[in-house]
Amino acid sequence: MTPFWFIKMKITNDEKIIDINDGLRLIEKKDGLTFGTDAYLLSAYVRAHTRAVGVDLGSGTGVIPLLLLNKGKLARMHAIELQSDFAELICRNAELNGLTDRLTVHCADVRDVSAETVGGTADIAVSNPPYMKVTGKANESEYKNIARHEVAGGIGDFCAAAYRVLKHGGLFYTVWRPDRLSELVCALSAAKLEPKRMTFVHARSELAPCLVLCEAKKGAAPGMYVTPPLIMYTDGSNYTDTLTKIYETGEFDEPYKRP
């Protein structure tokens, strides 16, 4: 599978440039998925391994690799993206942010990806996968349909891909829906990835969780640390001190790290 290399910067009529966290700029498709809280929290959940090589499975605009590389959490990354328009877009986002020498883009299906795809086993794999089952009614945008629904692979496929690209002892990070948590745990188990750390994310303290963040390890023994919950808002719009600190530092604090 041939990587996309340097592509001359261009912006099309169906795109826009936005400023995001950490001084990064991001080109987005107007009818594609936009940068959101789940992607940022996932990038913040990844532990820093400054010499490590990572793989982002289903990279979209490439925002998670951009955040991880810009923060210096990883040394190099490979972005795997099925849609050729977005694979090319990731290249331009890397160029826009001066990260082309550290980010390699592969237009590939996660169901076909292996360590050979990225030139050897990786230390870290990360994925913000599609959360929704395929239904009879698709989104108006095909970009959004593929990004949101499991039309090109379900959580089992993403976990299996993580197993194939990771070295023994490598870590897999993902964000998922709490109402489908059993599917995630079963998929990780089937892929021989042991959940080691999990955090439930709540919009407010009185509400049920809206996201779950998970760190799993290839070839590890059973045993998982369930962290304190992350509460995002004190009311309808004000961040909690904990979430504010995560946005300021790009890191989760000590209570959210496995002992």
Side-chain angles (χ1 to χ4, degrees):
M1 300 176 186
T2 303
F4 282 72
W5 296 108
F6 180 84
I7 295 178
K8 187 176 180 180
M9 180 61 60
K10 63 181 184 295
I11 304 295
T12 62
N13 291 334
D14 68 336
E15 296 173 344
K16 60 183 178 181
I17 297 180
I18 63 170
D19 295 318
I20 63 169
N21 306 71
D22 305 330
L24 292 168
R25 305 191 77 200
L26 187 69
I27 306 168
E28 292 185 331
K29 297 284 187 186
K30 293 177 182 177
D31 60 347
L33 289 186
T34 57
F35 173 56
T37 301
D38 51 353
Y40 190 80
L41 290 179
L42 180 57
S43 72
Y45 206 64
V46 175
R47 300 174 189 270
H49 298 270
T50 56
R51 297 183 180 180
V53 175
V55 179
D56 184 24
L57 300 166
S59 198
T61 60
V63 67
I64 291 175
L66 295 178
L67 288 164
L68 292 173
L69 293 173
N70 189 59
K71 277 289 187 184
K73 284 190 167 186
L74 302 180
R76 291 183 293 112
M77 286 205 72
H78 296 266
I80 307 296
E81 174 51 42
L82 174 65
Q83 300 183 78
S84 59
D85 287 354
F86 277 86
E88 189 264 353
L89 179 62
I90 298 168
C91 293
R92 288 187 283 133
N93 276 324
E95 181 187 349
L96 181 64
N97 291 283
L99 292 169
T100 53
D101 59 332
R102 298 169 62 198
L103 177 57
T104 303
V105 185
H106 306 263
C107 187
D109 190 319
V110 295
R111 293 169 291 188
D112 300 325
V113 166
S114 66
E116 183 179 352
T117 307
V118 296
T121 54
D123 305 286
I124 303 291
V126 61
S127 184
N128 183 3
Y131 296 161
M132 302 179 187
K133 292 181 178 292
V134 177
T135 62
K137 184 178 180 181
N139 283 295
E140 182 177 346
S141 164
E142 183 62 16
Y143 292 144
K144 290 182 179 178
N145 189 45
I146 292 175
R148 287 175 171 165
H149 294 83
E150 297 172 319
V151 297
I155 188 61
D157 297 301
F158 282 84
C159 292
Y163 176 85
R164 293 193 299 271
V165 301
L166 285 172
K167 68 180 185 182
H168 184 80
L171 297 174
F172 175 50
Y173 295 89
T174 192
V175 57
W176 192 240
R177 285 172 44 161
D179 62 326
R180 299 185 65 190
L181 180 58
S182 62
E183 295 173 68
L184 172 61
V185 173
C186 289
L188 290 169
S189 177
K192 300 179 183 177
L193 299 169
E194 185 64 34
K196 302 303 293 181
R197 181 170 58 120
M198 189 172 288
T199 299
F200 291 92
V201 181
H202 303 247
R204 297 196 305 275
S205 59
E206 72 272 19
L207 298 178
C210 55
L211 294 172
V212 60
L213 296 158
C214 183
E215 174 192 76
K217 189 172 185 178
K218 181 175 178 176
M224 181 174 65
Y225 172 53
V226 179
T227 76
L230 171 62
I231 311 300
M232 295 194 293
Y233 298 98
T234 57
D235 53 32
S237 59
N238 294 314
Y239 288 169
T240 60
D241 291 343
T242 302
L243 185 62
T244 298
K245 189 172 182 180
I246 290 171
Y247 271 111
E248 288 175 348
T249 64
E251 293 274 0
F252 274 70
D253 216 341
E254 284 305 317
Y256 296 95
K257 296 180 180 178
R258 188 175 69 246

